[in-house]
Amino acid sequence: MANFKGHALPGSFFFLFGYWWSVKYPMRYHSRRLNKNGHGNSRFSHLDAIEGAVKIVCAVIGILAEQFVPDGPHMHLYDGQNRDWVKLTNWQHSTMYLFFGISGVVDVFTYSSAKVPIGLDRLMLSVAVFVEGFLFYFHIMHRPPLDQHVHALLLVITFGGAAILLLEVFLRDNIILELFCSSLALLQGTWFYQIGFVLYPPWGGPSWDVDDHNNVMFITMCFCWHYALVILIVAVNYTLVCCFTQKRWKNSGEPEVKLLLRKQRCEKDFQTALLSGHDEE
């Protein structure tokens, strides 16, 4: 949709997923670090499967929104009577959602079936993000300078995110890559909103001069401010999750440790008593 809502919808999806990842990944990292016996991994697998299902739902909502808005193509790709394509911008956005939906399907199968190889979920998400960037690269050709620039900055996020996700296929559970990926998803969400505000002011304010180079310079600086805010969000979430998991471990983990140590001590005393009995015989 070539309007503010058409940019706010994917922006909301990316921001929510990025925010969720900025909480989930630190929680899984600290849980594994403090609880090395492996308990809780199945819980995160269930969460990942649910996340895949949510991704599918979001993709379906996006496709339906692009196709069936009042001025949408309504599943018509080519108008034979006028010999012209029908709303190709909406079709490109629908294609983007389609690949994220496929990524959600792969997520569900990866975390609900042992037959799917580990890492395929990250690979498919990397492909989906790459396809998004690939579509937007040809989406902005022959447009005014400011329009091209705000979308070109989006390409930096998408191709960077695709590369990071591809690395995660081989470097599984790397907290640095996971936090970086979370930050790029958050940045993509906020930047979709920024594009909407620049190109389609939602409250009927004055439109930006798309040919003014000063606006291009400002929007580049604004992009950096967005990422500074995103880094702050990720840092705050990481700190809160760290404090929460450590506090929870101290409240519930220490008794378990004490019981384990007491059990080991009893077994050692029992073995010592057996050895002493054999020596007396």
Side-chain angles (χ1 to χ4, degrees), residues 35 37 39 249-263:
N35 189 12
N37 57 9
H39 294 315
W249 176 258
K250 288 180 180 179
N251 293 335
S252 62
E254 282 188 352
E256 296 178 3
V257 174
K258 290 179 180 179
L259 287 173
L260 181 60
L261 292 175
R262 187 180 302 171
K263 181 180 178 181

Side-chain angles (χ1 to χ4, degrees), residues 144-220:
L146 184 61
D147 192 341
Q148 288 190 13
H149 189 64
V150 292
H151 284 92
L153 292 173
L154 187 64
L155 295 180
V156 175
I157 308 171
T158 53
F159 289 134
I164 295 301
L165 287 164
L166 185 61
L167 282 176
E168 284 194 65
V169 176
F170 309 100
L171 300 174
R172 194 74 177 180
D173 299 327
N174 186 303
I175 186 61
I176 303 300
L177 293 179
E178 289 172 341
L179 290 177
F180 190 25
C181 184
S182 303
S183 70
L184 292 180
L186 281 167
L187 180 60
Q188 188 168 179
T190 62
W191 197 247
F192 263 114
Y193 269 93
Q194 184 67 60
I195 294 174
F197 276 108
V198 170
L199 300 181
Y200 311 99
W203 298 294
S207 59
W208 292 54
D209 185 353
V210 294
D211 295 314
D212 187 355
H213 182 68
N214 286 329
N215 286 336
V216 173
M217 293 177 63
F218 172 78
I219 210 68
T220 306

Side-chain angles (χ1 to χ4, degrees):
M1 293 179 284
N3 52 40
F4 179 80
K5 293 180 181 179
H7 290 81
L9 183 64
S12 300
F13 290 155
F14 280 112
F15 186 86
L16 290 175
F17 273 97
Y19 193 89
W20 162 240
W21 290 342
S22 71
V23 173
K24 182 187 74 171
Y25 290 138
M27 188 177 296
R28 184 168 63 187
Y29 170 73
H30 288 292
S31 297
R32 288 176 175 174
R33 188 170 61 88
L34 296 173
N35 189 12
K36 296 183 179 180
N37 57 9
H39 294 315
N41 289 341
S42 59
R43 177 176 57 194
F44 284 104
S45 295
H46 292 318
L47 287 176
D48 290 331
I50 294 173
E51 180 184 309
V54 173
K55 197 184 295 183
I56 295 171
V57 172
C58 291
V60 172
I61 292 173
I63 292 173
L64 293 177
E66 290 290 341
Q67 290 293 323
F68 296 104
V69 290
D71 60 341
H74 296 272
M75 303 303 295
H76 292 99
L77 179 60
Y78 188 77
D79 186 354
Q81 183 176 1
N82 297 320
R83 296 183 179 276
D84 195 12
W85 301 103
V86 179
K87 298 287 185 179
L88 284 184
T89 297
N90 295 63
W91 276 103
Q92 281 198 326
H93 293 169
S94 299
T95 305
M96 176 191 75
Y97 285 120
L98 172 64
F99 274 84
F100 281 106
I102 296 173
S103 171
V105 173
V106 174
D107 286 350
V108 172
F109 280 108
T110 299
Y111 295 105
S112 61
S113 174
K115 297 180 180 180
V116 179
I118 296 297
L120 188 62
D121 58 326
R122 292 291 190 275
L123 178 62
M124 193 60 235
L125 184 56
S126 175
V127 170
V129 176
F130 176 82
V131 167
E132 178 195 356
F134 182 72
L135 290 170
F136 276 116
Y137 178 79
F138 294 99
H139 183 75
I140 62 177
M141 297 179 68
H142 309 297
R143 288 195 175 190
L146 184 61
D147 192 341
Q148 288 190 13
H149 189 64
V150 292
H151 284 92
L153 292 173
L154 187 64
L155 295 180
V156 175
I157 308 171
T158 53
F159 289 134
I164 295 301
L165 287 164
L166 185 61
L167 282 176
E168 284 194 65
V169 176
F170 309 100
L171 300 174
R172 194 74 177 180
D173 299 327
N174 186 303
I175 186 61
I176 303 300
L177 293 179
E178 289 172 341
L179 290 177
F180 190 25
C181 184
S182 303
S183 70
L184 292 180
L186 281 167
L187 180 60
Q188 188 168 179
T190 62
W191 197 247
F192 263 114
Y193 269 93
Q194 184 67 60
I195 294 174
F197 276 108
V198 170
L199 300 181
Y200 311 99
W203 298 294
S207 59
W208 292 54
D209 185 353
V210 294
D211 295 314
D212 187 355
H213 182 68
N214 286 329
N215 286 336
V216 173
M217 293 177 63
F218 172 78
I219 210 68
T220 306
M221 185 169 57
C222 189
F223 180 81
C224 299
W225 293 346
H226 273 254
Y227 198 52
L229 177 61
V230 164
I231 291 173
L232 178 63
I233 293 173
V234 173
V236 169
N237 286 348
Y238 184 89
T239 303
L240 291 176
V241 169
C242 180
C243 294
F244 172 77
T245 52
Q246 287 183 347
K247 183 177 180 180
R248 184 180 178 184
W249 176 258
K250 288 180 180 179
N251 293 335
S252 62
E254 282 188 352
E256 296 178 3
V257 174
K258 290 179 180 179
L259 287 173
L260 181 60
L261 292 175
R262 187 180 302 171
K263 181 180 178 181
Q264 292 176 346
R265 192 179 300 114
C266 290
E267 291 177 352
K268 185 176 181 180
D269 293 341
F270 180 71
Q271 292 176 355
T272 303
L274 286 177
L275 291 175
S276 299
H278 284 302
D279 292 340
E280 290 177 359
E281 292 176 1

